[in-house]
Amino acid sequence: MNPTLSTRREQYEEDFPLHTHVPTENPSFDLKDGFSDRYVKRDESVDEKLDHILKWIISNRTDFTLDVDFVTLRGHLTKLLTTPYEDKEGWMFAVTKFRGTIYIDKVETEAARRDRDNRTERHSEMMYWGYKFEQYMCADNIESLPDPSGVVNTNEGYYTVVRTQIAEHKLLFSAEVDCRVREPKDPPSCYVELKTSAEIRTPLKRSDKFKLLKWWAQSFMPGVPQVVAGFRDRDGIVVKVETFQTAEMSQLVEGENNCWKPTVCMNFCNDFLTFVKDVVSEDDPSVVYLFSWEPRRDVGFTIHRDSQYGFLPEWYINEITRTDT
Ligand code: A3P
Ligand code: MG
């Protein structure tokens, strides 16, 4: 199967993404800096569901036809793509059909909630490190330089909206973009994903191969061509910055034991979407189909009517109903 990926729309351009500054010398960025005094942290207990992409759909209805089969978020597609190689974390998706379009949202599993509640201070600080790296690497515009003395605010983000196709399934989803390069100019070719990682040793360990799979899956779907990785020591100091081409990542693990193949990920995702289309028969946002999966199990589903799982907000249902002719 040769899936196509075509990107036709981008959004939230008023706040254009930041420009990447890849250091030419050894960087020694201290990722710990500012954790205790210059950090505004998003409240992770608030689940924004699909609200932002739904608002985007409403705002763009005059010059845009919702002619897709699925509406979702990039993170959910990343989870689906990596499923064939995942052996630790299961998932649960809430799915509902409204006016012919299927909406896919995530439900936090019990295990994920326990992990979130029991996060150690060390783990919370390490989560901050990824955002701090973004600050070291990004400037507001081409002329300026990054300002690591500022506040790291994880409530802020730039999102692109992508229309794409996997086999016969048409999808619309939003994806957070970390920053852009000066050339090429057009999205998504100008987009860059930033990542931090503990230093990778060769031969690659299984966890490092899996990390590359996650990086690939996250960037492949919205067509982000490169990932700039900051490798850090145990003390949170970035000692090396390296660029990886999304299209070449799978070749880095080729021939290794436990390697992964993009085709396997795409085929699974395609089969899952076909399965969902077959199962989700009722066109009614008060009916939610819960698809769940645990490692080494098959994907199963249950059906819920007028339950706590309904996730399409009333304002969205009313607006679409009012304007749909
Ligand atoms: P790293 O990916 O460099 O660790 P993203 O890379 O997806 O743009 O996310 C930016 C940063 O948010 C991550 O940087 C990480 O610090 C933090 N983060 C996002 N999702 C996370 C998760 N599920 N668990 C831990 N940290 C997360
Ligand atoms: Mg990132």
Side-chain angles (χ1 to χ4, degrees), residues 42-61:
R42 195 184 86 80
D43 180 355
E44 285 178 62
S45 63
V46 178
D47 181 356
E48 290 167 337
K49 301 188 172 293
L50 302 187
D51 285 9
H52 293 297
I53 179 85
L54 300 182
K55 278 184 195 148
W56 182 90
I57 291 170
I58 297 293
S59 313
N60 289 276
R61 285 211 90 206

PDB file of all heavy atoms in Angstrom, residues 42-61:
ATOM      1  N   ARG A  42       0.569  24.429  32.120  1.00  0.00           N
ATOM      2  CA  ARG A  42      -0.819  24.172  31.753  1.00  0.00           C
ATOM      3  C   ARG A  42      -1.443  23.196  32.754  1.00  0.00           C
ATOM      4  O   ARG A  42      -0.772  22.256  33.210  1.00  0.00           O
ATOM      5  CB  ARG A  42      -0.883  23.547  30.349  1.00  0.00           C
ATOM      6  CG  ARG A  42      -2.261  23.576  29.724  1.00  0.00           C
ATOM      7  CD  ARG A  42      -2.260  22.857  28.387  1.00  0.00           C
ATOM      8  NE  ARG A  42      -2.481  21.423  28.549  1.00  0.00           N
ATOM      9  CZ  ARG A  42      -3.678  20.856  28.738  1.00  0.00           C
ATOM     10  NH1 ARG A  42      -4.766  21.593  28.776  1.00  0.00           N
ATOM     11  NH2 ARG A  42      -3.793  19.553  28.880  1.00  0.00           N
ATOM     12  N   ASP A  43      -2.704  23.412  33.092  1.00  0.00           N
ATOM     13  CA  ASP A  43      -3.412  22.525  34.011  1.00  0.00           C
ATOM     14  C   ASP A  43      -3.778  21.241  33.262  1.00  0.00           C
ATOM     15  O   ASP A  43      -4.699  21.216  32.444  1.00  0.00           O
ATOM     16  CB  ASP A  43      -4.681  23.229  34.524  1.00  0.00           C
ATOM     17  CG  ASP A  43      -5.449  22.348  35.489  1.00  0.00           C
ATOM     18  OD1 ASP A  43      -5.064  21.176  35.683  1.00  0.00           O
ATOM     19  OD2 ASP A  43      -6.445  22.848  36.056  1.00  0.00           O
ATOM     20  N   GLU A  44      -3.033  20.172  33.564  1.00  0.00           N
ATOM     21  CA  GLU A  44      -3.209  18.938  32.795  1.00  0.00           C
ATOM     22  C   GLU A  44      -4.487  18.185  33.130  1.00  0.00           C
ATOM     23  O   GLU A  44      -4.852  17.238  32.434  1.00  0.00           O
ATOM     24  CB  GLU A  44      -2.032  18.006  33.045  1.00  0.00           C
ATOM     25  CG  GLU A  44      -0.783  18.443  32.344  1.00  0.00           C
ATOM     26  CD  GLU A  44       0.349  17.499  32.665  1.00  0.00           C
ATOM     27  OE1 GLU A  44       0.238  16.318  32.321  1.00  0.00           O
ATOM     28  OE2 GLU A  44       1.311  17.952  33.294  1.00  0.00           O
ATOM     29  N   SER A  45      -5.170  18.605  34.220  1.00  0.00           N
ATOM     30  CA  SER A  45      -6.418  17.903  34.541  1.00  0.00           C
ATOM     31  C   SER A  45      -7.551  18.394  33.631  1.00  0.00           C
ATOM     32  O   SER A  45      -8.618  17.797  33.574  1.00  0.00           O
ATOM     33  CB  SER A  45      -6.783  18.124  36.014  1.00  0.00           C
ATOM     34  OG  SER A  45      -7.023  19.492  36.230  1.00  0.00           O
ATOM     35  N   VAL A  46      -7.311  19.504  32.907  1.00  0.00           N
ATOM     36  CA  VAL A  46      -8.332  20.009  31.974  1.00  0.00           C
ATOM     37  C   VAL A  46      -8.137  19.327  30.623  1.00  0.00           C
ATOM     38  O   VAL A  46      -7.095  19.453  29.992  1.00  0.00           O
ATOM     39  CB  VAL A  46      -8.208  21.549  31.806  1.00  0.00           C
ATOM     40  CG1 VAL A  46      -9.228  22.062  30.808  1.00  0.00           C
ATOM     41  CG2 VAL A  46      -8.343  22.249  33.145  1.00  0.00           C
ATOM     42  N   ASP A  47      -9.149  18.576  30.209  1.00  0.00           N
ATOM     43  CA  ASP A  47      -9.101  17.911  28.908  1.00  0.00           C
ATOM     44  C   ASP A  47      -9.864  18.773  27.904  1.00  0.00           C
ATOM     45  O   ASP A  47     -11.080  18.917  28.004  1.00  0.00           O
ATOM     46  CB  ASP A  47      -9.746  16.517  29.036  1.00  0.00           C
ATOM     47  CG  ASP A  47      -9.705  15.745  27.713  1.00  0.00           C
ATOM     48  OD1 ASP A  47      -9.257  16.313  26.706  1.00  0.00           O
ATOM     49  OD2 ASP A  47     -10.134  14.573  27.716  1.00  0.00           O
ATOM     50  N   GLU A  48      -9.138  19.358  26.956  1.00  0.00           N
ATOM     51  CA  GLU A  48      -9.793  20.262  25.992  1.00  0.00           C
ATOM     52  C   GLU A  48     -10.497  19.512  24.868  1.00  0.00           C
ATOM     53  O   GLU A  48     -11.111  20.115  23.995  1.00  0.00           O
ATOM     54  CB  GLU A  48      -8.770  21.250  25.435  1.00  0.00           C
ATOM     55  CG  GLU A  48      -8.346  22.249  26.502  1.00  0.00           C
ATOM     56  CD  GLU A  48      -7.124  23.052  26.134  1.00  0.00           C
ATOM     57  OE1 GLU A  48      -6.326  22.601  25.292  1.00  0.00           O
ATOM     58  OE2 GLU A  48      -6.967  24.144  26.699  1.00  0.00           O
ATOM     59  N   LYS A  49     -10.396  18.198  24.909  1.00  0.00           N
ATOM     60  CA  LYS A  49     -11.057  17.340  23.920  1.00  0.00           C
ATOM     61  C   LYS A  49     -10.774  17.840  22.501  1.00  0.00           C
ATOM     62  O   LYS A  49      -9.669  18.283  22.217  1.00  0.00           O
ATOM     63  CB  LYS A  49     -12.548  17.256  24.234  1.00  0.00           C
ATOM     64  CG  LYS A  49     -12.785  16.698  25.641  1.00  0.00           C
ATOM     65  CD  LYS A  49     -14.239  16.436  25.908  1.00  0.00           C
ATOM     66  CE  LYS A  49     -14.397  15.714  27.221  1.00  0.00           C
ATOM     67  NZ  LYS A  49     -13.840  14.354  27.195  1.00  0.00           N
ATOM     68  N   LEU A  50     -11.784  17.783  21.628  1.00  0.00           N
ATOM     69  CA  LEU A  50     -11.550  18.227  20.243  1.00  0.00           C
ATOM     70  C   LEU A  50     -11.900  19.703  20.066  1.00  0.00           C
ATOM     71  O   LEU A  50     -11.984  20.190  18.935  1.00  0.00           O
ATOM     72  CB  LEU A  50     -12.395  17.397  19.258  1.00  0.00           C
ATOM     73  CG  LEU A  50     -12.203  15.886  19.235  1.00  0.00           C
ATOM     74  CD1 LEU A  50     -12.996  15.270  18.084  1.00  0.00           C
ATOM     75  CD2 LEU A  50     -10.738  15.515  19.076  1.00  0.00           C
ATOM     76  N   ASP A  51     -12.102  20.419  21.170  1.00  0.00           N
ATOM     77  CA  ASP A  51     -12.700  21.757  21.088  1.00  0.00           C
ATOM     78  C   ASP A  51     -12.006  22.709  20.116  1.00  0.00           C
ATOM     79  O   ASP A  51     -12.672  23.457  19.403  1.00  0.00           O
ATOM     80  CB  ASP A  51     -12.760  22.394  22.483  1.00  0.00           C
ATOM     81  CG  ASP A  51     -13.877  21.757  23.312  1.00  0.00           C
ATOM     82  OD1 ASP A  51     -14.442  20.742  22.863  1.00  0.00           O
ATOM     83  OD2 ASP A  51     -14.167  22.268  24.413  1.00  0.00           O
ATOM     84  N   HIS A  52     -10.658  22.697  20.056  1.00  0.00           N
ATOM     85  CA  HIS A  52      -9.966  23.662  19.198  1.00  0.00           C
ATOM     86  C   HIS A  52     -10.202  23.384  17.715  1.00  0.00           C
ATOM     87  O   HIS A  52     -10.460  24.298  16.937  1.00  0.00           O
ATOM     88  CB  HIS A  52      -8.469  23.688  19.502  1.00  0.00           C
ATOM     89  CG  HIS A  52      -8.177  24.234  20.870  1.00  0.00           C
ATOM     90  ND1 HIS A  52      -8.489  25.520  21.217  1.00  0.00           N
ATOM     91  CD2 HIS A  52      -7.639  23.666  21.971  1.00  0.00           C
ATOM     92  CE1 HIS A  52      -8.145  25.731  22.473  1.00  0.00           C
ATOM     93  NE2 HIS A  52      -7.640  24.610  22.957  1.00  0.00           N
ATOM     94  N   ILE A  53     -10.132  22.121  17.342  1.00  0.00           N
ATOM     95  CA  ILE A  53     -10.356  21.802  15.920  1.00  0.00           C
ATOM     96  C   ILE A  53     -11.836  22.043  15.556  1.00  0.00           C
ATOM     97  O   ILE A  53     -12.154  22.496  14.457  1.00  0.00           O
ATOM     98  CB  ILE A  53      -9.857  20.369  15.561  1.00  0.00           C
ATOM     99  CG1 ILE A  53     -10.101  20.022  14.083  1.00  0.00           C
ATOM    100  CG2 ILE A  53     -10.505  19.292  16.382  1.00  0.00           C
ATOM    101  CD1 ILE A  53      -9.053  20.494  13.167  1.00  0.00           C
ATOM    102  N   LEU A  54     -12.740  21.809  16.515  1.00  0.00           N
ATOM    103  CA  LEU A  54     -14.168  22.063  16.250  1.00  0.00           C
ATOM    104  C   LEU A  54     -14.399  23.569  16.045  1.00  0.00           C
ATOM    105  O   LEU A  54     -15.129  23.978  15.150  1.00  0.00           O
ATOM    106  CB  LEU A  54     -15.043  21.532  17.395  1.00  0.00           C
ATOM    107  CG  LEU A  54     -14.941  20.025  17.672  1.00  0.00           C
ATOM    108  CD1 LEU A  54     -15.891  19.628  18.800  1.00  0.00           C
ATOM    109  CD2 LEU A  54     -15.243  19.197  16.418  1.00  0.00           C
ATOM    110  N   LYS A  55     -13.727  24.380  16.861  1.00  0.00           N
ATOM    111  CA  LYS A  55     -13.837  25.843  16.697  1.00  0.00           C
ATOM    112  C   LYS A  55     -13.272  26.250  15.343  1.00  0.00           C
ATOM    113  O   LYS A  55     -13.809  27.130  14.672  1.00  0.00           O
ATOM    114  CB  LYS A  55     -13.073  26.568  17.812  1.00  0.00           C
ATOM    115  CG  LYS A  55     -13.879  26.659  19.081  1.00  0.00           C
ATOM    116  CD  LYS A  55     -13.164  27.463  20.154  1.00  0.00           C
ATOM    117  CE  LYS A  55     -13.839  27.206  21.490  1.00  0.00           C
ATOM    118  NZ  LYS A  55     -12.938  27.256  22.626  1.00  0.00           N
ATOM    119  N   TRP A  56     -12.174  25.626  14.957  1.00  0.00           N
ATOM    120  CA  TRP A  56     -11.566  25.926  13.658  1.00  0.00           C
ATOM    121  C   TRP A  56     -12.561  25.596  12.527  1.00  0.00           C
ATOM    122  O   TRP A  56     -12.731  26.379  11.594  1.00  0.00           O
ATOM    123  CB  TRP A  56     -10.268  25.124  13.476  1.00  0.00           C
ATOM    124  CG  TRP A  56      -9.573  25.439  12.183  1.00  0.00           C
ATOM    125  CD1 TRP A  56      -8.629  26.403  11.988  1.00  0.00           C
ATOM    126  CD2 TRP A  56      -9.788  24.827  10.907  1.00  0.00           C
ATOM    127  NE1 TRP A  56      -8.247  26.413  10.669  1.00  0.00           N
ATOM    128  CE2 TRP A  56      -8.933  25.468   9.994  1.00  0.00           C
ATOM    129  CE3 TRP A  56     -10.617  23.797  10.456  1.00  0.00           C
ATOM    130  CZ2 TRP A  56      -8.880  25.112   8.640  1.00  0.00           C
ATOM    131  CZ3 TRP A  56     -10.574  23.451   9.109  1.00  0.00           C
ATOM    132  CH2 TRP A  56      -9.716  24.099   8.214  1.00  0.00           C
ATOM    133  N   ILE A  57     -13.217  24.451  12.641  1.00  0.00           N
ATOM    134  CA  ILE A  57     -14.183  24.041  11.609  1.00  0.00           C
ATOM    135  C   ILE A  57     -15.289  25.089  11.507  1.00  0.00           C
ATOM    136  O   ILE A  57     -15.624  25.553  10.415  1.00  0.00           O
ATOM    137  CB  ILE A  57     -14.769  22.633  11.923  1.00  0.00           C
ATOM    138  CG1 ILE A  57     -13.682  21.560  11.755  1.00  0.00           C
ATOM    139  CG2 ILE A  57     -15.972  22.324  11.032  1.00  0.00           C
ATOM    140  CD1 ILE A  57     -14.082  20.178  12.265  1.00  0.00           C
ATOM    141  N   ILE A  58     -15.822  25.499  12.661  1.00  0.00           N
ATOM    142  CA  ILE A  58     -16.906  26.492  12.670  1.00  0.00           C
ATOM    143  C   ILE A  58     -16.419  27.815  12.058  1.00  0.00           C
ATOM    144  O   ILE A  58     -17.090  28.403  11.219  1.00  0.00           O
ATOM    145  CB  ILE A  58     -17.431  26.727  14.112  1.00  0.00           C
ATOM    146  CG1 ILE A  58     -18.054  25.443  14.680  1.00  0.00           C
ATOM    147  CG2 ILE A  58     -18.414  27.895  14.168  1.00  0.00           C
ATOM    148  CD1 ILE A  58     -19.328  24.984  14.006  1.00  0.00           C
ATOM    149  N   SER A  59     -15.220  28.250  12.444  1.00  0.00           N
ATOM    150  CA  SER A  59     -14.711  29.541  11.957  1.00  0.00           C
ATOM    151  C   SER A  59     -14.423  29.537  10.468  1.00  0.00           C
ATOM    152  O   SER A  59     -14.386  30.583   9.842  1.00  0.00           O
ATOM    153  CB  SER A  59     -13.405  29.922  12.653  1.00  0.00           C
ATOM    154  OG  SER A  59     -13.509  29.742  14.002  1.00  0.00           O
ATOM    155  N   ASN A  60     -14.153  28.368   9.904  1.00  0.00           N
ATOM    156  CA  ASN A  60     -13.750  28.310   8.494  1.00  0.00           C
ATOM    157  C   ASN A  60     -14.825  27.723   7.580  1.00  0.00           C
ATOM    158  O   ASN A  60     -14.540  27.371   6.435  1.00  0.00           O
ATOM    159  CB  ASN A  60     -12.457  27.492   8.348  1.00  0.00           C
ATOM    160  CG  ASN A  60     -11.274  28.233   8.907  1.00  0.00           C
ATOM    161  OD1 ASN A  60     -10.668  29.063   8.248  1.00  0.00           O
ATOM    162  ND2 ASN A  60     -10.982  27.974  10.179  1.00  0.00           N
ATOM    163  N   ARG A  61     -16.046  27.649   8.087  1.00  0.00           N
ATOM    164  CA  ARG A  61     -17.090  26.964   7.322  1.00  0.00           C
ATOM    165  C   ARG A  61     -17.434  27.668   6.019  1.00  0.00           C
ATOM    166  O   ARG A  61     -17.883  27.043   5.074  1.00  0.00           O
ATOM    167  CB  ARG A  61     -18.357  26.801   8.176  1.00  0.00           C
ATOM    168  CG  ARG A  61     -18.182  25.709   9.205  1.00  0.00           C
ATOM    169  CD  ARG A  61     -19.475  25.024   9.506  1.00  0.00           C
ATOM    170  NE  ARG A  61     -19.696  23.898   8.634  1.00  0.00           N
ATOM    171  CZ  ARG A  61     -20.884  23.421   8.314  1.00  0.00           C
ATOM    172  NH1 ARG A  61     -21.955  23.995   8.767  1.00  0.00           N
ATOM    173  NH2 ARG A  61     -21.000  22.379   7.529  1.00  0.00           N
TER     174      ARG A  61
END
